[in-house]
Amino acid sequence: MQLSIVIPLLNEAESIQELHEWISSVLIESNFSYEIIFIDDGSTDNSWTIISDLCKKNEFVKGIRFLKNYGKSQALHAGFEAVQGEVVITMDADLQDNPEEIPELYNLIKNEGYHLISGWKKVRYDSFFAKNLPSKLFNAVARKTSGLQLHDFNCGLKAYQKEVVKHIKVTGEMHRYIPVLAKNEGFTKISEKIVQHQARKYGDTKFGSERFINGFLDLINIWFLSKFGKRPMHFFGAWGVVMFSIGFLSAAWIGGSKLYKLYHQEPAILVTNNPWFYIALSAMLMGLLLFIAGFLGELILLNTNTGKNYKIKSTNNIKSHL
């Protein structure tokens, strides 16, 4: 199979049928062998009914339905586990991503050897202050932190080699940073393509302004995990040594200074009356706690549970290995 199209969605009943027809016409015209996987992330409208009907009419359409709303990252993870195509395309279900981009994205992955191509919505039809400006700031910080020179990390339209999606683990809200996750796994041939952005045709956006705050927090998280996720003791242990050393040397200086003054019969206050003694003691305790945190991190890493953090309610045309 050449192509797998993965589409996570939440309450997009109005657009599913139109999107399916649009994608199918593009893929049939280009003679692709394909599958379209819809992941219903706990919709409360009749999205799943529409998906089920499409699965009955078109054997190349597959559906995954979550028991409740787990988030876009978990939906993508489930879709990635199910894909069989050599090239995987992700896109949103709100008709803002243009399926006409698919053949060129496929060519960039299959024939030009890229591991991942991220869409860049250079011209957007969203509110400037509510979405565009925060998005520009967010992407600037992401570029600086990750070292990837992409203009739009969070674009839903992306293309991947199958090997990439089988090796990355998208959890929490890390769908924003899939290119960074891929880079951390050793897939370095990553680029972007300018894609057409279209105004939302039906309904309202499912993401509020809080996603930018969460995005920056996730960025800090992924930066830390990329550097120290496999070796937490290197971070906590290093800072533990620094803090303990500062505290120990300060305490030694305070004690030595007290003994020196006593030896020369100079007036000296009690060590316990010296506020710097407690600062030094606190630094030593912080260093010890950081060491303990490092050991606990190593133990957790050694015994971590890699199970799924979502539950699937039902599937259509999906093999039972999920």
Side-chain angles (χ1 to χ4, degrees):
M1 184 180 295
Q2 293 173 293
L3 265 173
S4 292
I5 313 296
V6 176
I7 305 172
L9 62 97
L10 173 65
N11 295 332
E12 298 285 0
E14 295 174 303
S15 62
I16 293 173
Q17 181 70 44
E18 185 176 340
L19 178 62
H20 165 258
E21 292 174 359
W22 195 359
I23 293 173
S24 296
S25 65
V26 171
L27 299 183
I28 292 172
E29 183 180 348
S30 301
N31 294 317
F32 284 122
S33 57
Y34 69 93
E35 62 181 357
I36 302 173
I37 304 177
F38 290 100
I39 303 95
D40 183 355
D41 187 19
S43 294
T44 55
D45 61 6
N46 64 334
S47 292
W48 182 248
T49 301
I50 296 171
I51 293 170
S52 298
D53 289 341
L54 290 174
C55 290
K56 294 175 183 176
K57 296 174 183 177
N58 185 349
E59 63 178 326
F60 303 120
V61 175
K62 303 177 181 181
I64 298 172
R65 186 187 188 189
F66 281 178
L67 188 64
K68 65 173 186 176
N69 176 235
Y70 288 98
K72 187 174 182 178
S73 292
Q74 281 63 243
L76 287 173
H77 182 80
F80 289 164
E81 283 207 330
V83 295
Q84 301 178 46
E86 297 175 350
V87 175
V88 179
I89 306 282
T90 60
M91 61 192 311
D92 295 332
D94 54 13
L95 297 174
Q96 290 189 283
D97 295 331
N98 191 336
E100 304 289 343
E101 308 278 359
I102 292 175
E104 189 172 348
L105 288 170
Y106 175 86
N107 179 65
L108 288 169
I109 298 294
K110 184 64 178 177
N111 300 322
E112 298 193 26
Y114 285 99
H115 294 134
L116 188 156
I117 296 292
S118 181
W120 173 18
K121 297 174 181 177
K122 191 173 183 179
V123 178
R124 300 181 65 100
Y125 296 96
D126 297 318
S127 168
F128 178 78
F129 290 104
K131 282 193 173 183
N132 287 5
L133 182 59
S135 180
K136 289 180 183 295
L137 294 173
F138 164 79
N139 285 305
V141 175
R143 283 194 298 273
K144 186 69 174 178
T145 306
S146 68
L148 286 172
Q149 299 307 306
L150 301 178
H151 290 85
D152 191 355
F153 281 80
N154 198 29
C155 178
L157 186 58
K158 291 182 173 67
Y160 315 79
Q161 285 185 7
K162 181 182 179 181
E163 185 182 9
V164 175
V165 302
K166 295 300 185 181
H167 281 80
I168 60 175
K169 184 178 181 182
V170 190
T171 59
E173 294 188 17
M174 291 301 180
H175 59 273
R176 301 181 182 92
Y177 303 108
I178 289 180
V180 184
L181 296 175
K183 179 187 175 185
N184 291 344
E185 292 296 329
F187 300 101
T188 56
K189 197 168 183 183
I190 298 171
S191 188
E192 64 185 357
K193 176 188 179 298
I194 296 175
V195 296
Q196 181 180 348
H197 180 239
Q198 301 173 142
R200 174 179 273 273
K201 189 172 181 179
Y202 304 106
D204 299 313
T205 180
K206 308 302 186 297
F207 301 100
S209 58
E210 72 278 357
R211 78 187 192 279
F212 293 108
I213 298 174
N214 295 336
F216 283 114
L217 294 175
D218 288 335
L219 184 59
I220 295 171
N221 183 31
I222 200 169
W223 170 83
F224 176 83
L225 291 176
S226 66
K227 288 184 175 293
F228 304 105
K230 302 296 184 183
R231 44 191 174 93
M233 179 55 80
H234 288 197
F235 177 82
F236 293 106
W239 280 106
V241 168
V242 171
M243 295 302 296
F244 190 88
S245 298
I246 291 174
F248 180 81
L249 293 174
S250 299
W253 172 262
I254 293 168
S257 176
K258 169 79 175 192
L259 293 174
Y260 176 84
K261 290 180 179 180
L262 289 175
Y263 180 78
H264 290 88
Q265 297 182 345
E266 296 178 5
I269 63 172
L270 291 172
V271 169
T272 53
N273 289 337
N274 188 338
W276 289 104
F277 169 76
Y278 295 101
I279 294 175
L281 185 62
S282 297
M284 293 174 68
L285 288 173
M286 287 178 64
L288 183 61
L289 289 173
L290 285 169
F291 251 104
I292 293 173
F295 281 123
L296 290 176
E298 294 286 348
L299 288 172
I300 292 170
L301 185 64
L302 185 65
N303 297 283
T304 186
N305 179 15
T306 58
K308 303 183 185 71
N309 56 351
Y310 55 84
K311 293 181 177 64
I312 292 173
K313 184 175 181 179
S314 54
T315 65
N316 267 308
N317 295 342
I318 296 290
K319 293 182 179 179
S320 59
H321 71 278
L322 288 173

